[in-house]
């Protein structure tokens, strides 16, 4: 019993869980965060990042979310610290299966699935293909068809992070995108180049309760375009926040976390 309590206490203080060298790679890499009371058994939440990113990009979500839920933050194959599994072919179906393998490694049978940006297509495919492993789904600025940026700004990161982003935040994201993860970026681009989750019947197969969050002035997805696919998810609702960023999980993290926590609390009641 004492050993178990010690183990649980250590896990409750796990930020960061472990140090990782910049150039290290492993199959199905993920970070785990739980900052609540050590005697509680929190619900697991899997956070799926977008292209050209890694699980690190949920940094603004961890402080509040990890006090309520056990967070599993995978790096998608070829990005961050995840290597590309032998024989892996990039597709939304295979990326969804990759997430199940991360969950298996973490000892998680089912979880709430939360995504950011292009990770939304992976998350929605996951929820459709693995209904028993999906407790709830939260789509934060995610697309249901290939991305098109309307009237792109000449200012780096302006469309992604919005006009309120600080110089420091913009510099961070510029550095992030100069990273070496070209295989993963190319692979996700391939997986996201030709899909339509509505026409393919994926959205209609999602059984879990779902929350879709979008921005009112996103250049990636208009509110009308998002609503058109959201209504095809049977048990879903749409929340529109005020922002001109399309990566609202990063640019408007606090508001997105508030909406997500409230929604997940409903599902746990």
């Amino acid at each position: 019993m004492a050993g178990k309590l010690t183990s649980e206490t250590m896990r409750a203080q796990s930020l960061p869980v472990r140090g990782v060298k910049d150039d290290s790679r492993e199959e199905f890499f993920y970070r785990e965060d739980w900052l609540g009371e050590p005697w509680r058994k929190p619900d697991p939440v899997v956070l799926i990042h977008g292209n050209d990113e890694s699980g690190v990009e949920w940094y603004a979500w961890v402080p509040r979310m990890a006090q309520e839920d056990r967070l599993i933050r995978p790096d998608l194959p070829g990005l961050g610290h995840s290597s590309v599994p032998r024989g892996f072919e990039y597709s939304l179906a295979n990326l969804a299966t990759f997430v199940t393998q991360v969950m298996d490694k973490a000892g998680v049978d089912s979880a709430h699935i939360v995504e950011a940006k292009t990770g939304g297509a992976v998350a929605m495919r996951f929820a459709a293909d693995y209904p028993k492993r999906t407790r709830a789904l939260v789509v934060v600025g995610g697309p249901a068809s290939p991305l098109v940026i309307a009237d792109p700004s000449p200012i780096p990161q302006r469309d992604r992070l919005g006009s309120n982003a600080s110089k420091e935040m913009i510099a961070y994201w510029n550095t992030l995108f100069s990273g070496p993860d070209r295989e993963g970026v190319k692979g996700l681009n391939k997986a996201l180049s030709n899909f339509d989750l509505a026409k393919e019947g994926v959205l209609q197969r999602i059984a879990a309760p779902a929350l879709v969050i979008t921005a009112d002035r996103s250049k990636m997805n208009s509110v009308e375009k998002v609503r058109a696919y959201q209504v095809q998810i049977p048990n879903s609702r749409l929340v529109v926040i005020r922002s001109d960023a399309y990566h609202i999980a990063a640019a408007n993290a606090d508001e997105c976390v508030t909406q997500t926590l409230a929604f997940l609390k409903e599902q746990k009641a």
Side-chain angles (χ1 to χ4, degrees):
M1 176 65 73
K4 181 178 180 181
L5 287 175
T6 300
S7 175
E8 293 295 324
T9 300
M10 289 177 66
R11 191 176 74 173
Q13 306 302 322
S14 57
L15 185 60
V17 176
R18 56 191 170 109
V20 185
K21 294 182 179 180
D22 289 344
D23 59 350
S24 69
R25 296 288 186 274
E26 64 183 65
E27 286 194 355
F28 315 119
F29 177 87
Y30 67 93
R31 294 167 180 82
E32 180 173 353
D33 311 279
W34 165 237
L35 302 176
E37 296 87 351
W39 54 85
R40 285 172 54 198
K41 292 185 177 180
D43 280 8
V45 174
V46 176
L47 302 172
I48 304 175
H49 65 80
N51 201 359
D52 230 330
E53 301 176 7
S54 73
V56 169
E57 273 45 77
W58 294 99
Y59 58 84
W61 288 58
V62 171
R64 291 174 61 195
M65 288 284 294
Q67 293 183 57
E68 302 296 333
D69 300 290
R70 174 191 174 195
L71 305 184
I72 306 296
R73 297 185 284 146
D75 289 355
L76 293 177
L79 295 168
H81 294 289
S82 276
S83 58
V84 180
R86 183 177 300 177
F88 183 82
E89 294 289 336
Y90 283 92
S91 69
L92 291 181
N94 289 341
L95 287 164
T97 299
F98 177 91
V99 175
T100 70
Q101 293 168 310
V102 171
M103 291 170 65
D104 291 341
K105 185 176 179 180
V108 173
D109 292 329
S110 64
H112 306 292
I113 308 298
V114 180
E115 65 72 34
K117 202 166 54 67
T118 50
V122 179
M124 288 185 276
R125 183 63 189 252
F126 177 96
D129 289 356
Y130 301 98
K132 292 184 178 180
R133 305 198 72 168
T134 308
R135 301 187 188 188
L137 172 68
V138 180
V139 178
V140 187
S145 57
L147 305 177
V148 177
I149 306 301
D151 188 23
S153 170
I155 302 174
Q157 305 298 340
R158 171 61 61 83
D159 297 335
R160 180 185 307 275
L161 302 174
S163 56
N164 291 327
S166 67
K167 292 180 180 179
E168 292 80 8
M169 185 178 194
I170 290 171
Y172 169 79
W173 283 85
N174 284 334
T175 300
L176 178 71
F177 282 14
S178 66
D181 300 333
R182 296 301 96 191
E183 182 178 9
V185 172
K186 182 179 178 180
L188 260 71
N189 282 337
K190 176 185 176 182
L192 294 162
S193 64
N194 184 22
F195 72 105
D196 190 317
L197 300 182
K199 290 182 179 179
E200 295 165 12
V202 172
L203 302 179
Q204 297 85 342
R205 292 194 288 113
I206 296 174
L211 172 67
V212 178
I213 308 175
T214 194
D216 62 345
R217 288 160 288 144
S218 168
K219 288 189 177 183
M220 186 176 77
N221 277 321
S222 68
V223 174
E224 292 74 18
K225 184 176 180 180
V226 174
R227 184 177 286 113
Y229 83 68
Q230 172 262 321
V231 296
Q232 299 188 61
I233 302 174
N235 184 15
S236 68
R237 71 182 71 163
L238 176 65
V239 169
V240 181
I241 66 173
R242 292 182 59 82
S243 178
D244 61 355
Y246 67 76
H247 196 351
I248 53 175
N252 304 86
D254 193 56
E255 186 171 358
C256 290
V257 169
T258 296
Q259 294 288 348
T260 298
L261 285 174
F263 177 72
L264 294 184
K265 185 177 180 179
E266 288 182 30
Q267 312 317 311
K268 299 171 189 176

